[in-house]
Amino acid sequence: MAHNILVTGGAGFIGSHVVRRFVQDKKYHIVNLDKLTYAGNLENLTDVENEVNYEFVKGDISDSVLVQKLFELHDFEGVIHLAAESHVDRSISNPLEFVQTNVIGTVCLLEAAKNWTKGEGKKFYHISTDEVYGSLGSEGFFTEKTSYDPQSPYSASKASSDHFVRAYGNTYQLPFVISNCSNNYGPNHFPEKLIPLLINNIKNNRPLPIYGKGENVRDWLYVEDHAVAIKLIYEKGRIGETYNIGGFNEWKNIDLVELLCDMMDEKLGNQKGTSRKLITFVKDRAGHDLRYAIDATKLSKELGWKPSLTFEEGLEKTVDWFLGNEKWLTDVTTGVYMNYYEEHYNNR
Ligand code: NAD
Ligand code: TYD
């Protein structure tokens, strides 16, 4: 019998890499529930959409009737919950949408899972972020024991959803696991986040907006390394535990931008220094967290995970992917990707 998993948010950036990795493993049957917001893109999944162990359902995780129906229909063994509003800047201009999906949507899933988890071997896996821990000074790392101290509406909504998952574990014996990961980058990244935005702007000779002085530090992980960690934690992570995921790869924004500019100049055949001239310092983000840095020792000691690529290798793969997937980028920036569902799924 196939092992049925409900993946939420599987048409997004990280979700599509997770879906692909599980679909390739034929012991799994994946039901991907995704609302297809602006961040959901079925063009991320064209290579798996006809696989027999994959099914797509367009819907909202806060639609409790739909979610309950899916649980009744599929006898899931596990849930891997990635669906979320994920962009800090959008959370500053529209926090309510973040509460609706990240908090209420998560609780809707937990409500359905509450009645389902009586059986042996079930697992509710919540994918979260290191941003729940707040902002670091120049020293130290986030560990699994760091107190929550979210600073943006996005991180507050993710912290709240983490708390709800743990509360369902404590109150209803929900068998859960949570992972908190650092900033991801790689293929299929929506070009509103720093790295894909810069790649797209350099390609089009547009200014590169750097918030404040570019002094903020982020800890970057290649998306495929995150997907590998997620599969490992789903299969071997201990119930009730939290795992931090990160590659000990901190970069000050301005240093990252300069590295990327030089790499893009080489790839595009520009004279060295051409892209750096596009760097434009702009007004800082409100409440901008200074530094994130993950200590992923627990995950590597307990489950043997480590990142497979250096940052330079991962960044080069990312740049090559964006330059080689012109249609994906054009469809995303013109909005054409939004038509994919109507064109390919309406008659199914
Ligand atoms: P994303 O914004 O690229 O994708 C989110 C997906 O969720 C989209 O496919 C969207 O259509 C779907 N979605 C949104 N609201 C929904 C709803 N109400 N019902 C059903 N589907 C809905 O996000 P991402 O960057 O791939 O992040 C995935 C998860 O990983 C999120 O939970 C995020 O908090 C977490 N995370 C992201 C990062 C990162 O660097 N991107 C790092 C750590 C953790
Ligand atoms: P982002 O990719 O939005 O991820 P997060 O806010 O979740 O860390 O931003 C990464 C860093 O880059 C963050 O310090 C904000 C900064 N940034 C800019 O300087 N300019 C931009 O246009 C964007 C989108 C981000």
Side-chain angles (χ1 to χ4, degrees):
M1 262 247 307
H3 177 121
N4 285 332
I5 303 177
L6 175 66
V7 174
T8 71
F13 166 46
I14 302 171
S16 60
H17 290 268
V18 170
V19 163
R20 182 171 303 103
R21 196 154 280 277
F22 275 87
V23 169
Q24 278 163 359
D25 187 340
K26 295 301 171 201
K27 70 171 173 286
Y28 295 114
H29 178 266
I30 301 300
V31 176
N32 173 13
L33 171 63
D34 195 298
K35 187 180 172 183
L36 299 182
T37 66
Y38 80 93
N41 182 352
L42 288 175
E43 291 185 21
N44 292 342
L45 288 167
T46 47
D47 55 333
V48 301
E49 68 184 5
N50 294 319
E51 295 292 331
V52 287
N53 61 337
Y54 172 74
E55 203 175 309
F56 179 70
V57 178
K58 182 177 175 183
D60 191 327
I61 55 166
S62 16
D63 179 346
S64 49
V65 174
L66 170 67
V67 169
Q68 190 60 47
K69 205 169 97 194
L70 288 177
F71 272 79
E72 281 159 19
L73 210 62
H74 290 284
D75 193 23
F76 295 120
E77 294 295 324
V79 175
I80 305 178
H81 173 34
L82 296 113
E85 287 295 332
S86 69
H87 190 37
V88 174
D89 291 328
R90 287 181 191 251
S91 83
I92 294 168
S93 43
N94 191 0
L96 274 179
E97 215 168 335
F98 285 67
V99 175
Q100 180 59 39
T101 286
N102 301 1
V103 185
I104 296 177
T106 299
V107 177
C108 276
L109 287 172
L110 290 168
E111 274 296 285
K114 186 169 92 178
N115 304 318
W116 143 89
T117 47
K118 304 294 177 239
E120 278 292 297
K122 311 273 195 192
K123 193 177 256 180
F124 187 102
Y125 181 5
H126 185 227
I127 308 300
S128 193
T129 165
D130 61 353
E131 302 189 28
V132 297
Y133 299 121
S135 180
L136 290 166
S138 54
E139 302 275 302
F141 292 92
F142 298 133
T143 74
E144 289 81 1
K145 294 200 166 72
T146 304
S147 303
Y148 276 32
D149 186 21
Q151 299 292 320
S152 72
Y154 165 64
S155 55
S157 69
K158 291 297 288 189
S160 172
S161 60
D162 287 4
H163 287 323
F164 269 105
V165 173
R166 292 197 181 95
Y168 271 66
N170 180 59
T171 312
Y172 309 108
Q173 289 73 54
L174 177 88
F176 74 88
V177 64
I178 298 177
S179 61
N180 297 82
C181 189
S182 60
N183 286 61
N184 283 215
Y185 69 99
N188 308 100
H189 208 177
F190 194 84
E192 65 181 351
K193 306 270 172 70
L194 181 68
I195 291 180
L197 177 93
L198 295 173
I199 295 174
N200 190 38
N201 285 15
I202 292 171
K203 217 170 138 260
N204 294 298
N205 203 29
R206 289 205 210 111
L208 310 177
I210 309 305
Y211 299 161
K213 295 184 179 141
E215 298 278 322
N216 304 67
V217 174
R218 295 294 182 264
D219 185 355
W220 295 94
L221 183 69
Y222 191 63
V223 64
E224 276 298 322
D225 282 328
H226 189 190
V228 167
I230 288 175
K231 189 153 184 281
L232 195 61
I233 292 169
Y234 180 76
E235 290 171 342
K236 303 209 168 110
R238 285 181 296 136
I239 296 297
E241 292 290 320
T242 295
Y243 296 89
N244 279 356
I245 312 175
F248 292 101
N249 179 44
E250 290 179 55
W251 283 80
K252 202 185 266 191
N253 288 343
I254 189 65
D255 296 339
L256 184 162
V257 175
E258 288 181 355
L259 173 72
L260 185 59
C261 282
D262 296 348
M263 197 179 274
M264 288 288 288
D265 282 345
E266 220 174 288
K267 297 277 175 191
L268 296 171
N270 292 339
Q271 205 181 0
K272 192 165 187 274
T274 307
S275 298
R276 287 188 187 211
K277 293 201 186 95
L278 298 171
I279 294 174
T280 311
F281 293 96
V282 298
K283 186 169 178 278
D284 208 354
R285 171 187 280 171
H288 197 171
D289 287 343
L290 178 67
R291 175 173 166 258
Y292 304 144
I294 276 276
D295 180 347
T297 308
K298 176 177 172 180
L299 179 62
S300 66
K301 277 205 174 140
E302 208 175 285
L303 301 182
W305 175 88
K306 63 175 185 347
S308 66
L309 298 173
T310 65
F311 188 53
E312 284 77 0
E313 288 167 342
L315 199 60
E316 186 167 4
K317 269 171 107 84
T318 305
V319 167
D320 288 344
W321 187 87
F322 275 91
L323 294 179
N325 285 274
E326 192 96 18
K327 181 177 174 330
W328 184 93
L329 195 54
T330 312
D331 286 358
V332 167
T333 47
T334 56
V336 165
Y337 73 110
M338 293 287 216
N339 302 332
Y340 194 92
Y341 181 81
E342 277 66 35
E343 284 166 8
H344 292 80
Y345 280 82
N346 256 0
N347 298 323
R348 289 191 181 191

